Amino acid sequence: MESVPFTHCPTNKKNCVSTIDLTSYHRIAPLPVSGEVADTKARIHQTLNRFDHVEIKEEGTHYVHAVFTSKWMKFKDDLELYIDERTHLLHFKSASRLGYYDFKVNRKRVERFKSLFNNA
């Protein structure tokens, strides 16, 4: 099985959150999942479909990369998801492509994703 395919958040920017980061600002908890990988992927797709302005750019067996485009300024943010079959956790990295600070947009996006995923 592959390892988490994304890197840590840049330490000098506050526009990213990740389940693999240890710094308190960037750290966000992974989401416990159960069942088969295919079922989790189906729930990921169902959850992403509940967001506006999102497009899946890349997908692997355990990985999904989605891009969110802001409504007005057309800024792009990347959301990467990784299903860790061994630990039964869904890992996240959500990051803005531009800028330094995101007013916690990425953190709010992941928290909303988790809430919608759990209610799917």
Side-chain angles (χ1 to χ4, degrees), residues 51-91:
F51 286 84
D52 293 326
H53 312 287
V54 63
E55 181 182 356
I56 294 176
K57 289 292 188 179
E58 184 182 345
E59 197 164 352
T61 308
H62 296 81
Y63 174 78
V64 176
H65 174 198
V67 176
F68 288 78
T69 304
S70 66
K71 185 175 181 179
W72 302 110
M73 299 296 287
K74 305 299 182 202
F75 293 127
K76 295 193 182 296
D77 293 346
D78 295 287
L79 174 65
E80 295 178 89
L81 304 105
Y82 173 72
I83 305 161
D84 188 333
E85 220 175 337
R86 186 179 53 80
T87 61
H88 303 285
L89 293 173
L90 180 57
H91 286 278

Side-chain angles (χ1 to χ4, degrees), residues 4-117:
V4 176
F6 47 82
T7 60
H8 291 275
C9 293
T11 56
N12 63 337
K13 293 187 176 189
K14 297 194 180 246
N15 62 1
C16 177
V17 294
S18 169
T19 55
I20 64 170
D21 273 279
L22 300 177
T23 60
S24 61
Y25 187 87
H26 296 111
R27 176 84 178 142
I28 196 161
L31 183 64
V33 292
S34 59
E36 299 295 321
V37 170
D39 296 333
T40 301
K41 289 256 312 254
R43 285 178 65 194
I44 287 170
H45 282 271
Q46 289 172 349
T47 304
L48 288 172
N49 285 336
R50 300 195 54 198
F51 286 84
D52 293 326
H53 312 287
V54 63
E55 181 182 356
I56 294 176
K57 289 292 188 179
E58 184 182 345
E59 197 164 352
T61 308
H62 296 81
Y63 174 78
V64 176
H65 174 198
V67 176
F68 288 78
T69 304
S70 66
K71 185 175 181 179
W72 302 110
M73 299 296 287
K74 305 299 182 202
F75 293 127
K76 295 193 182 296
D77 293 346
D78 295 287
L79 174 65
E80 295 178 89
L81 304 105
Y82 173 72
I83 305 161
D84 188 333
E85 220 175 337
R86 186 179 53 80
T87 61
H88 303 285
L89 293 173
L90 180 57
H91 286 278
F92 300 91
K93 179 181 180 184
S94 187
S96 300
R97 291 184 181 179
L98 300 174
Y100 170 78
Y101 189 73
D102 69 348
F103 302 97
K104 299 194 177 189
V105 167
N106 287 290
R107 182 172 298 280
K108 290 174 187 172
R109 178 181 297 121
V110 172
E111 293 298 347
R112 180 173 176 228
F113 182 95
K114 288 178 176 183
S115 176
L116 293 170
F117 184 90

